């Protein structure tokens, strides 16, 4: 297949426009894919420092006073913007003020 000079220019410009469009869509999609975790204000909340061997479940269990610590775990995760239960030693974890309110059955 033989292209004229004009055909080659049209082909190069077309490929360049498609490439630029692909780059633009990629950067546009990446900008929208950014996830931001909104953490509420921590003013006045009690906190605990995580030590070696601590788990989120153990901390919540200590706060829940013998009740099921599941609700406390979820509240700690929400307060600290955690997506999973992985915590590291030396981290400051904010805990709910009123764990009794979390233990009340939902109506």
């Amino acid at each position: 297949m033989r292209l004229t000079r004009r055909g080659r220019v049209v082909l190069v410009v077309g490929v360049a426009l498609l490439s630029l469009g692909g780059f633009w869509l990629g950067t546009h999609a990446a900008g929208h894919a950014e996830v931001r975790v909104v953490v509420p204000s921590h003013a006045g909340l009690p906190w605990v420092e995580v030590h070696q061997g601590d788990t989120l479940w153990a901390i919540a269990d200590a706060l829940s006073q013998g009740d099921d610590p599941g609700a406390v775990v979820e509240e700690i995760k929400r307060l600290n913007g955690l997506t999973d239960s992985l915590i590291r030693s030396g981290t400051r974890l904010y805990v709910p003020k009123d764990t009794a309110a979390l233990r009340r059955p939902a109506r």
Side-chain angles (χ1 to χ4, degrees), residues 16-90:
L17 287 175
L18 284 173
S19 296
L20 288 174
F23 287 131
W24 180 80
L25 283 175
T27 58
H28 187 69
H32 286 289
E34 182 180 338
V35 176
R36 293 181 186 251
V37 177
V38 178
V39 179
S41 172
H42 296 124
L45 284 179
W47 56 271
V48 295
E49 184 173 336
V50 178
H51 298 287
Q52 185 71 30
D54 283 349
T55 63
L56 193 55
W57 191 265
I59 293 169
D61 191 34
L63 292 170
S64 65
Q65 301 169 349
D67 292 336
D68 180 28
V72 180
V73 167
E74 291 305 314
E75 182 64 9
I76 292 172
K77 286 169 61 175
R78 187 189 70 77
L79 287 172
N80 294 280
L82 300 175
T83 56
D84 57 25
S85 297
L86 180 66
I87 55 175
R88 299 184 191 277
S89 60

